[in-house]
Structures are given as C-alpha cells and as structure tokens.
Amino acid sequence: MASRKDVQSAAVKELLDQIVARTVADMGAHAGAFFLLEPGGEVLVLDASLGMPTGFVGLLRRLRVAAVTDGPLAEAILQRHLVWVASGEEFARRFPQLALTFPFVGAVAATPIVAGSRVWGAMLLLFSQKSPAPDAPAWRRFATAARCIAVLLQDAAEAGHCLQPDLTARLLPPAPAHPTAPAHPQAAADFIAALPEGACRLDVRGRITFADHTAAGLLGESVPHLLGSRVWEAVPWLAPAPYRLRYQAALASQLPTSYTVKQPRTGRELLLQLYPDRTGVSLRISAPAGGPDSRDELALGTGAAPGPADLDTHYHVMQLSGGLAAAASVDEVVELVAGHLLVALHAQAFAFLVPEAGRVRVVGHHGVSPELVDLVDHAPLASDLPLPGLTTGAPSWGLARGVPSFFADRDELRVVYPESASIDDGMGAWAWLPLMASGRYFGVCVVGYRQPRSCTLQERATLTAISALISQALDRARQCDAKHQLAEGLQFSLLPRTLVALHGLDVAARYLPASHGMEVGGDFYDLIRLSDTEVAAVIGDVQGHGVSAAGLMGEVRTAVRAYAVVGATSGEVLARTNHLFIDLDPGLLASCLYAHIDPVHHIAQLATAGHCPPLLRHPDLHTDILAAPPGVLLGVDPAAEYPTTAIPLPPGALLVLYTDGLIETPGTDFETALTDLAAVLSRAIGSLDDIADTLLAHAQPSGDRADDTALLLLKVC
C-alpha cells in the first residue's frame, strides 16, 4: 500500500504534468519538458516530457549546467532569466556543440523554476521552424506557469515530500492537435479505404495508433499486428537507423519528409511520406506506378526535414568536431575542414580571411585558385575587392555580430556586393560564416559551391554551428602557430647563422625542434675559429624547455666561446664554464662536449661534461663510438675537472657530434640506439648534407620528434 508521502508526491507530479502540458499547448510549442536540478546545482535531470522524440528523451535525461554555453537550459539556470532562441540558426550559433547533438532543433524557450533564492529546475519548450514567435501574453503565461511550478515544489518540500525524479522520465500524452469530428466516422473510414495509398498514424513514441488495410498490405503485415507496436518493431525492415532518423527528424523539426524503401518480401519500391504535428506523425504509404521518385527527398520545399543522407553529413560533422578539438596548427584545421566539412556539405572550396595590419590575410584555403589567393592575400582593406566582413558596410556589420550570410547565386551576391562582378572565382553559391572567439570577431570563412543552390534551413544551422567550432579551433591554432614561430625564431637566433670556413675541414649542421609543444629547447651547437688552422666544435643540451632554458643555453654558448678564444684547453673551457654556470645558480643542469680540432696535424682534443659520446667514422667507413673520459654535468660540482682526450683525425675521417634527440627512441635502450646509429653512419654515402639527412631520417623515420635534435658533422679533407 502506498504511503501518504508517496500519494502526496504523486498528486504533485500529476498537477505539475498538467501545467507542463497546458503550457506547451498555450505557447504553440510542439514539445516540452520539465527538469529538476540535482543538489549541488550542476546537473539537470529530465523528469517529464511531452512530444519529444524517443531519441531526444535519452539524450536529455541528464544535462550539465556548468556554463552558459552548455545550452539554453544552463543559461536560464545560471543567469536566472528566460532564454529565447528564435531559430535553428541562432541555436547553432549560440550553442554549436549542442547543435551537433540536436541538429533538428528550431526555436527554443527555456525558463528557470525559481522560488525565493532557490532554483528548483527548468522548463523547456521546442517550436517548429514554421511557428510564429509567442506574443507578450503568451510569455506572461509562460512565466506564470513557471511560478506555479516553483510554488508547488516549494510547498511540497516544506511539507516533507520534496519531489524527486522518477527512475525514468514520464512521457506525457499531448492534447489533441485537431478537434475531433465524431459525426461521420464511417464516412471518414470509407474515404480512406477508397484511396490507393495506405495511411498510418504514429504517436510521439513511434507507436502505431491507426493503420488502414492498404497500409498493412503494402507493409506485408496485418492491422492487428501493427496497432500498438512501434513501427520499427512491427516492421523489422524499417528498423535500420536511417529510417528511424527520418521519423525522429520529422518529429523534432516539425517538417515533412519522404523516402523510398524496398519491401523485401515483394521487391516493390514504396514511397513513405511523413507529415508531423505535435501529437505524432501521419504516414502515407504508396507504390508509385512509374516507380519511386528518383530523388530521396520529396519536393516539399527547402524546409524538408533531414534524411538518410544526413547520416553521412552527421558522421563528417562529428569527425570534424572531434578533430578540431585537438587541432594544434592552422594547417591541421585546414586539412580537417577540407576533409570533412566540404564533403559533408557537398561544397568545393573554402578560405579563411582575417584582417591584419590594414590588409587581408588568407590564412588557409582549399579549392581556391592560386590566382585568386594571390589577388586577395595582403590586399589593402580599403581596396575595391569584395572582402566579406573585412570592410565597412551593412553586410560586414552583420558578420561582425556573428550573423552568417548565404548567397544562392551570383545575382544575390551582386546585390549585396556589386564589386563582386569583377571577380570570377568559379563558384555559383556562397556561405560567408563569421569567425568569432570569446565574443570577438576576427575574420570570415567563405564556403563556395560550384553550382547555384539555396541552402536548406538544416544546412544553414549546420554551417552556423560548425563555423563556431572552426572559429574556436582556428583562433587557438593561430595562437599556437604564433607561439611556435616565436619559439623557433628565438631558438635559431641563439644558434650560429653560418659556420666558419676552414681549409681542410668540411662541416654540416642541423637543428630540428621537437614536433610537439611550443617551448624553446636548450640544444645548441657552435663552431669557433681559434686560428687560421684550428677550430673548436661545441655541442650541448641545457636541461628543460622554455625561455629560461633558452636564455641559459645562450649564456653557456657565449661563455664557451669566450673561454675558447683566449687559448684555454678543452678541459679548461668546460671547467671555467662550469664555474660560471654554478655562479648563475639557474636550478638547471647542462651537458656539453668540446672538441679542439687541428685538421693540419690531424688531431682533435676532446672533453665532455656528461654529453652523448661522439662517433668517429674512419676513412675505411668503419665507425667507432668514442669513449672519452666522462666529466660531470655542468652545474653539479664547482670543483669538477674535465680530462682531455686526444684522438687522431686522418684525412677522410668524419667526426659526428649530436644531442640525445637523435638517439632517444621509445622502447629502445641507449646502447642499442647508439650502436644502430653507428651502423647507419658506416653505410651512409654522399655529401655531408646527405649523411646528416640520413642520420635524421633513421632517428625519426616518421618525422615525429619527441625532443629537440642538434647535429654537427666535421670531415677532414
């Protein structure tokens, strides 16, 4: 037997459900839902819904409300005000990530349920794209309904039976969409029976509430078998996702759609036409005498609901969305847009245009002729070129406010931008999408179609949603690129611009930054002229990355150079540099190898401070790993000494100095990697540059570098 508390809660829920159902009808919405806010205020739980497609109910069961960008419900809860989203395009622009999950949404209204200082939940209404905006009296009724629900919940809590969500959301029966006319039921039945087409009626859950004998015959089932069952359960060959998506799309968008299927038992092609309203979908089934319409979409206007082809679009859009979240460079963003957005929308070209220092920059493009890119890139903003959103004028103001522009053909474009007549870009239709990040307008994405075409409402909403995601990814990628270019510029400025020339010695060098991350590395190399016949070769690696590591690397390189030119021996150069390093107290360590090379007398004096052992390839191509007496890293012991080792350098000998980025390979130990590198050096042929490239290709065959790499090759002639 139910407790008194359960009875009271059931009574509150019944009254609440009546308010929600009445509000949906009064506001002219086709669907609505009521949500309760969990304790903690971060998650909304769907408690009751009306007119929602079954696929939506599961997705809406639990919603995060951590930020206003999470959706209209989150904005209503966090800012405690009514939220009105007037169209699917506006929904896509304001909530792009959510629009990809719910691509068929039209207008949306959301209001918080507030009593005193407590937010109890929220109410959501969905409107078709054809519905007029509610008038002022309707908005007042909406606010009154929200207050009534808040009072109900407040009173219930004070009475000791605070309302809790059911284990599954309640599905409320909608009010009849049309007044019943029971006067002539037999006449209505006779009328339907005489038609060559079959007729079915599905409720919002997809259950068949009516089916005539013609429909049952065409589907290959009996009327009793159909009634009360979901259509995809009663007719299993209508269960595939594309067909269920059609039903969901029609109900969610309140727009008609159609598609053709083959009846597997008879092999007949059937045309299924869906006509939705807020109580369900009317399904018309026919077998056209001339065969099915060759088009998948019935000619129901540009507002037709999405169909199976949209599964492919949805796949590419979701792939694009996931890829954009991880994109770290403008090139990656361009590749993703070209590989997914153009394919999904059957477009042929796009370009990212941004204003910089009074000029236009084409920061990325695909499918655009090189001549047009040259014409537009770096053009003054004050030029006569039609530069969407980058010059003054009403169309540009719209883009700057985040409003996209669509042009079905050149005539429409010419009306807005007369100067476009002078440019032939090979396109017949365009979408100009604003690029905005953190409320800041920073450019435009121009999407081009070769043939004139009008974008459907769904395509416009998809483009708008995706442009918001592209904007965020592109803005982030441009910042990453700028930081990376700054880091590389700083790194290369700390390395020698040219290598000194010395008779009897050929030299080649390479420096490659890590593939990932924007911080400056600490790897360096140098070649210092000591006399007309002698040089010092230096290579090193300061611990860590970043400006501090780069700055310290510059100081170490300067110190080594200063001590070298005053005539210090190899060991003395490292010892003095170590003293300076410790005096600087950087909190970092560094490795370094110093080689005093005399190609005239064919000898080198080596000293090392914990650096990787050099390689020596002999004239017969045999390679040795030189085991010079190791000294401690720079920055460890102020009293450290660095012994010097002399090695012969006969004509044809090749000395290779490198940093650990050349031999650090995941899953390979140091000794094995070093032995493999020596073997590759023995087999390498060609010039020093060729040999350097061979060593780098061996170390990073995929081109992916986990660490910076410096390489210095010296060959005695």
Side-chain angles (χ1 to χ4, degrees):
M1 183 176 180
S3 66
R4 181 180 178 184
K5 181 177 180 180
D6 291 338
V7 171
Q8 290 173 329
S9 294
V12 171
K13 290 181 179 180
E14 182 178 358
L15 186 54
L16 188 151
D17 293 348
Q18 292 174 6
I19 295 173
V20 172
R22 180 61 180 270
T23 302
V24 171
D26 285 351
M27 294 291 290
H30 72 82
F34 168 70
F35 297 80
L36 286 170
L37 190 63
E38 283 190 346
E42 293 185 355
V43 176
L44 279 171
V45 181
L46 177 64
D47 187 52
S49 70
L50 182 152
M52 292 279 186
T54 52
F56 274 33
V57 172
L59 294 173
L60 292 172
R61 179 58 176 169
R62 293 175 62 82
L63 296 176
R64 187 175 70 112
V65 292
V68 294
T69 54
D70 288 337
L73 286 166
E75 182 177 334
I77 291 287
L78 295 174
Q79 298 189 350
R80 298 197 179 190
H81 65 203
L82 169 71
V83 175
W84 169 244
V85 184
S87 67
E89 287 184 29
E90 183 181 346
F91 183 80
R93 186 168 62 253
R94 292 173 61 178
F95 311 108
Q97 198 69 51
L98 197 61
L100 297 178
T101 306
F102 301 98
F104 314 126
V105 169
V108 177
T111 188
I113 306 299
V114 182
S117 60
R118 178 168 179 177
V119 179
W120 290 93
M123 185 160 44
L124 176 73
L125 300 181
L126 301 182
F127 300 80
S128 75
Q129 306 203 42
K130 303 177 294 183
S131 300
D135 55 17
W139 288 125
R140 287 195 290 271
R141 292 194 297 272
F142 190 36
T144 300
R147 286 195 295 271
C148 290
I149 294 175
V151 171
L152 265 178
L153 297 174
Q154 183 79 24
D155 290 348
E158 292 175 354
H161 47 88
C162 187
L163 194 65
Q164 299 294 327
D166 292 335
L167 293 177
T168 58
R170 300 187 302 282
L171 301 178
L172 310 182
H178 312 284
T180 55
H184 307 288
Q186 186 58 50
D190 292 342
F191 171 78
I192 293 173
L195 295 175
E197 299 92 356
C200 285
R201 180 67 181 175
L202 314 179
D203 66 11
V204 294
R205 305 183 198 183
R207 295 180 306 188
I208 302 172
T209 59
F210 168 80
D212 67 1
H213 289 284
T214 303
L218 290 170
L219 295 175
E221 305 290 350
S222 66
V223 172
H225 175 76
L226 296 175
L227 293 179
S229 300
R230 293 185 178 183
V231 65
W232 44 83
E233 295 170 352
V235 188
W237 49 272
L238 289 179
Y243 305 142
R244 296 177 66 170
L245 177 66
R246 280 297 177 109
Y247 164 77
Q248 302 275 10
L251 196 59
S253 65
Q254 292 292 287
L255 297 172
T257 187
S258 69
Y259 58 96
T260 57
V261 295
K262 179 176 286 188
Q263 219 274 34
R265 298 176 187 172
T266 65
R268 297 181 72 185
E269 295 280 356
L270 301 180
L271 175 64
L272 277 63
Q273 297 165 265
L274 288 73
Y275 298 88
D277 61 28
R278 59 187 176 84
T279 64
V281 173
S282 293
L283 175 62
R284 181 182 178 189
I285 308 172
S286 60
D293 191 328
S294 61
R295 296 166 297 171
D296 192 51
E297 288 287 352
L298 188 67
L300 296 173
T302 58
D310 289 87
L311 283 178
D312 184 60
T313 297
H314 190 64
Y315 165 79
H316 284 289
V317 167
M318 295 308 294
Q319 289 288 102
L320 175 63
S321 176
L324 288 174
S329 70
V330 172
D331 287 344
E332 289 181 25
V333 174
V334 170
E335 183 178 350
L336 285 165
V337 173
H340 293 293
L341 184 64
L342 295 187
V343 175
L345 299 174
H346 307 290
Q348 285 72 47
F350 78 90
F352 297 138
L353 309 181
V354 300
E356 284 186 2
R359 293 183 176 271
V360 181
R361 281 293 322 283
V362 181
V363 297
H365 63 90
H366 180 87
V368 183
S369 69
E371 295 78 14
L372 185 58
V373 172
D374 291 341
L375 178 66
V376 174
D377 197 24
H378 293 93
L381 291 177
S383 69
D384 293 331
L385 294 173
L387 305 173
L390 306 179
T391 55
T392 58
S396 300
W397 297 338
L399 286 167
R401 292 195 304 271
V403 179
S405 298
F406 302 94
F407 303 99
D409 53 39
R410 189 165 290 278
D411 290 338
E412 287 189 9
L413 179 65
R414 195 177 294 117
V415 169
V416 180
Y417 286 102
E419 59 271 27
S420 65
S422 63
I423 295 181
D424 181 11
D425 61 358
M427 298 295 136
W430 300 263
W432 287 357
L433 310 173
L435 298 174
M436 304 189 72
S438 304
R440 173 181 55 86
Y441 173 76
F442 69 91
V444 64
C445 173
V446 180
V447 178
Y449 301 84
R450 285 213 166 81
Q451 300 299 324
R453 70 192 305 274
S454 295
C455 288
T456 65
L457 292 175
Q458 179 59 34
E459 287 174 329
R460 293 184 180 211
T462 299
L463 278 165
T464 303
I466 285 297
S467 72
L469 298 180
I470 290 173
S471 297
Q472 297 166 14
L474 185 61
D475 185 58
R476 183 178 63 251
R478 292 184 71 210
Q479 293 181 40
C480 289
D481 282 353
K483 291 178 181 178
H484 195 68
Q485 290 169 7
L486 177 63
E488 285 194 1
L490 177 58
Q491 180 79 60
F492 283 106
S493 71
L494 296 173
L495 297 173
R497 290 183 175 83
T498 59
L499 297 175
V500 299
L502 188 70
H503 179 71
L505 190 68
D506 286 342
V507 183
R510 293 288 187 276
Y511 171 78
L512 294 177
S515 300
H516 304 288
M518 271 65 69
E519 291 191 305
V520 187
D523 292 19
F524 69 95
Y525 66 86
D526 203 354
L527 193 63
I528 308 164
R529 182 185 295 275
L530 301 179
S531 70
D532 292 340
T533 60
E534 297 171 297
V535 294
V538 189
I539 197 161
D541 185 1
V542 175
Q543 176 189 20
H545 291 78
V547 175
S548 59
L552 189 60
M553 177 263 281
E555 291 182 284
V556 170
R557 177 172 169 248
T558 301
V560 169
R561 178 173 282 269
Y563 296 134
V565 296
V566 298
T569 65
S570 298
E572 290 172 342
V573 169
L574 291 185
R576 294 175 184 179
T577 302
N578 179 54
H579 277 291
L580 175 64
F581 198 93
I582 291 175
D583 289 342
L584 293 173
D585 192 21
L588 299 173
L589 303 175
S591 67
C592 186
L593 187 146
Y594 183 96
H596 183 146
I597 299 173
D598 183 352
V600 174
H601 296 94
H602 307 297
I603 193 169
Q605 304 285 341
L606 303 181
T608 179
H611 197 75
C612 304
L615 302 178
L616 178 63
R617 190 175 81 169
H618 297 279
D620 62 359
L621 303 186
H622 169 71
T623 299
D624 286 331
I625 301 171
L626 299 180
V632 298
L633 293 168
L634 302 179
V636 174
D637 180 8
E641 295 183 355
Y642 298 91
T644 299
T645 301
I647 61 168
L649 289 179
L654 173 61
L655 182 65
V656 177
L657 313 181
Y658 56 92
T659 57
D660 55 7
L662 193 67
I663 55 174
E664 285 186 346
T665 304
T668 305
D669 64 84
F670 178 84
E671 295 297 334
T672 301
L674 190 55
T675 301
D676 290 345
L677 183 65
V680 171
L681 178 60
S682 294
R683 297 191 300 268
I685 59 175
S687 66
L688 282 190
D689 287 328
D690 293 335
I691 295 174
D693 293 339
T694 298
L695 296 178
L696 291 174
H698 164 75
Q700 295 102 16
S702 66
D704 191 36
R705 298 177 297 278
D707 196 5
D708 298 18
T709 301
L711 178 63
L712 186 58
L713 284 69
L714 306 105
K715 184 176 182 180
V716 179
C717 300

